[in-house]
Amino acid sequence: QVQLVESGGGSVQAGGSLRLSCAASRSTYDTCRYMGWFRQAPGKEREGVAAVYRSGGSTYYADSVKGRFTISQDHAKNTLYLQMNSLKPEDSAIYYCAAAVDLGGSWYVPGSYKYWGQGTQVTVSS
């Protein structure tokens, strides 16, 4: 059974940090070679934030978060992380974890992923 559960969201002031976690079921973690983080702010489309090709370790980032966010994995815990530093008000959104056995398109396109978590809210105040 595919299961992705996000946690770690919250409210912080601009310049602060948060670490999001995405706990995956063992079967998901073993079969999905791509995992990523997306976000969606009110009235906006869901956008890709970061992704990792788990087999090779390649990582991908949106230009808006490069140098501030880091995606990482803990294989022993079947968990994907997103470390977010130097947060800005425009980073406020619901953050979603996503997974795919193989990407159906580009890493930053939501339709490329088959499995999704329920989302966790991140609010950054100025």
Side-chain angles (χ1 to χ4, degrees):
Q1 181 180 357
V2 175
Q3 187 175 19
L4 300 171
V5 180
E6 302 99 332
S7 61
S11 298
V12 294
Q13 291 189 327
S17 298
L18 283 173
R19 187 177 79 159
L20 305 183
S21 300
C22 173
S25 61
R26 186 70 199 183
S27 61
T28 302
Y29 204 76
D30 285 345
T31 59
C32 291
R33 298 191 294 173
Y34 293 88
M35 294 187 73
W37 289 98
F38 284 74
R39 67 186 180 187
Q40 188 166 19
K44 295 189 176 181
E45 293 186 353
R46 190 169 297 190
E47 63 174 357
V49 175
V52 59
Y53 173 50
R54 295 192 47 252
S55 298
S58 298
T59 56
Y60 312 90
Y61 294 94
D63 288 343
S64 59
V65 306
K66 279 181 182 177
R68 300 188 298 123
F69 291 11
T70 303
I71 190 170
S72 63
Q73 314 172 69
D74 186 328
H75 299 293
K77 296 182 178 179
N78 304 336
T79 300
L80 182 75
Y81 299 101
L82 184 68
Q83 178 67 44
M84 305 186 295
N85 299 327
S86 303
L87 283 161
K88 304 175 181 180
E90 51 264 42
D91 294 318
S92 297
I94 298 175
Y95 283 70
Y96 298 90
C97 177
V101 175
D102 287 296
L103 289 182
S106 300
W107 73 265
Y108 50 85
V109 175
S112 300
Y113 298 80
K114 184 175 182 180
Y115 307 109
W116 292 86
Q118 83 289 351
T120 185
Q121 178 71 49
V122 171
T123 303
V124 184
S125 58
S126 57

